[in-house]
């Protein structure tokens, strides 16, 4: 039998409701895996909305320890769905181990009569133990579908399937950028674009130390004139500006005047990734010293 290790981090899969119906992490990794015959490392027990880049490093270090020091044949990470897409992509960009790493979680609390966590966990363990999984990097197993980390995004807070993305095996060029630490990565912020948006938020992010900005732009990558001029100013100052979109599933290209103006101002487009993952990819590119525009042409 393959040696499997579960790294528990909290999330809905570990929650139960209190007297007021509020869900909080209460179950340990041992509770989640009782009777499954696997080893457990409790890395943390938090709602994933509370995670920071420092926590990505902590999870990554635990995964590497499970793979290298503990000799796991496969690693499963139980994780909250709020920010699973960010953690999964950071791991994919920075993990070089041979043991497969599979993230999973739940849409319903552990004490719900129709809890989905146990089935998701069993599926994830099966994926991690599967033939051909070794050397494949990171995947997300959720509600019967196995996703690539790149392109994953949360689409629902109810129902069994919370995610959309690319089925595993469809990304042929794995987006690995090196053994990086998120806490050492430059600050990257997301700035929303909306009718009448000025440069206040963008200027404040740069003043706070951001070396990268992801614009959550309109349509296929458009913004108003005031923001375009602010992008021009900050790009000339060395800030990397990536243009994503607020449209779920939208494709970004400079096909309209404002989008063309953003590119002419020094920004580059994020063809497919949603803003949360565009931020993670930009953080990793800047941390690795890789040309951000080229990284996004390859994987964005």
């Amino acid at each position: 039998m393959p040696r499997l290790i579960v790294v528990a981090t909290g999330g809905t899969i570990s929650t139960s409701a209190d007297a007021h119906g509020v869900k909080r992490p209460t179950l340990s990794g041992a509770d989640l895996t009782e009777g499954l015959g696997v080893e457990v490392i409790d890395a943390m027990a938090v709602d994933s909305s509370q995670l920071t880049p420092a926590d990505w490093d902590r999870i990554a270090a635990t995964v590497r320890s499970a793979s290298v020091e503990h000799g796991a044949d496969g690693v499963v990470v139980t994780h909250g769905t709020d920010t699973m897409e960010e953690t999964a992509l950071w791991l994919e960009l920075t993990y070089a181990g041979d043991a497969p790493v599979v993230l999973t979680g739940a849409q319903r609390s552990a004490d719900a009569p129709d809890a989905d966590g146990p089935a998701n966990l069993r599926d994830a363990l099966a994926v991690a133990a599967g033939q051909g999984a070794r050397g494949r990097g990171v995947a997300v197993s959720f509600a019967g579908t196995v996703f690539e980390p790149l392109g994953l995004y949360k689409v629902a807070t109810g129902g069994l399937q919370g995610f959309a993305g690319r089925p595993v095996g469809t990304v042929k060029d794995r987006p690995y950028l090196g053994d990086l630490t998120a806490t050492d990565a430059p600050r990257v912020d997301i700035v929303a674009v909306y009718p009448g948006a000025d440069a206040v938020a963008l200027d404040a992010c740069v003043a706070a130390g951001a070396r990268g900005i992801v614009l959550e732009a309109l349509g296929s990558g458009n913004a108003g004139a005031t923001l375009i001029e602010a992008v021009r100013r900050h790009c000339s100052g060395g800030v990397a500006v990536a243009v994503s979109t607020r449209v779920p599933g939208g494709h970004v290209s400079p096909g309209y005047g404002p989008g063309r103006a953003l590119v002419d101002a020094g920004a580059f487009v994020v063809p497919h990734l949603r803003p949360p993952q565009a931020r993670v990819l930009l953080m990793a590119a800047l941390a690795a010293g890789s040309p951000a525009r080229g990284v996004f042409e390859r994987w964005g």
Side-chain angles (χ1 to χ4, degrees):
M1 293 291 291
R3 184 179 186 184
L4 302 178
I5 295 180
V6 172
V7 175
T9 70
T12 299
I13 193 171
S14 71
T15 62
S16 57
D18 63 19
H20 303 287
V22 178
K23 302 177 184 67
R24 307 182 195 279
T26 56
L27 275 64
S28 68
D31 295 327
L32 296 176
T33 60
E34 185 177 1
L36 295 179
V38 298
E39 300 172 52
V40 174
I41 300 175
D42 284 299
M44 60 191 72
V46 297
D47 187 299
S48 72
S49 65
Q50 304 303 299
L51 295 180
T52 67
D55 293 315
W56 300 346
D57 289 339
R58 185 174 169 188
I59 294 170
T62 306
V63 166
R64 284 194 294 270
S65 175
S67 173
V68 178
E69 297 172 19
H70 294 271
D73 295 307
V75 181
V76 170
V77 180
T78 57
H79 195 289
T81 60
D82 280 2
T83 64
M84 189 182 292
E85 61 207 73
E86 283 103 324
T87 301
L89 182 56
W90 182 262
L91 288 175
E92 175 75 331
L93 294 169
T94 61
Y95 173 72
D98 287 331
V101 178
V102 184
L103 284 79
T104 195
Q107 291 282 80
R108 297 167 184 168
S109 62
D111 60 349
D114 54 353
D116 56 328
N120 283 346
L121 180 54
R122 288 192 298 271
D123 286 349
L125 289 167
V127 172
Q131 291 185 349
R134 194 161 184 83
R136 290 287 298 273
V138 182
V140 173
S141 177
F142 209 92
T145 301
V146 185
F147 297 100
E148 296 278 3
L150 187 69
L152 184 75
Y153 59 102
K154 187 170 181 176
V155 294
T157 57
L160 293 177
Q161 183 53 271
F163 293 96
R166 307 172 188 179
V168 72
T170 57
V171 176
K172 304 302 182 184
D173 180 18
R174 184 184 171 196
Y176 177 74
L177 286 174
D179 184 12
L180 310 173
T181 55
T183 50
D184 292 333
R187 176 173 179 150
V188 175
D189 290 318
I190 299 172
V191 174
V193 181
Y194 48 86
D198 56 23
V200 171
L202 177 54
D203 289 345
C205 290
V206 175
R211 301 310 300 156
I213 296 291
V214 175
L215 281 185
E216 188 178 271
L218 307 174
S220 59
N222 303 307
T226 302
L227 265 179
I228 293 171
E229 288 309 307
V231 166
R232 187 186 314 278
R233 175 162 41 87
H234 291 303
C235 284
S236 66
V239 177
V241 178
V243 182
S244 182
T245 176
R246 70 179 188 177
V247 181
H251 178 77
V252 176
S253 65
Y256 289 86
R260 181 74 256 173
L262 279 170
V263 172
D264 290 343
F268 53 88
V269 300
V270 184
H272 303 290
L273 295 182
R274 304 285 297 131
Q277 284 207 333
R279 173 178 175 256
V280 175
L281 185 58
L282 185 51
M283 287 175 64
L286 295 175
S290 300
R293 187 183 301 269
V295 167
F296 276 84
E297 287 175 353
R298 186 175 180 182
W299 292 309

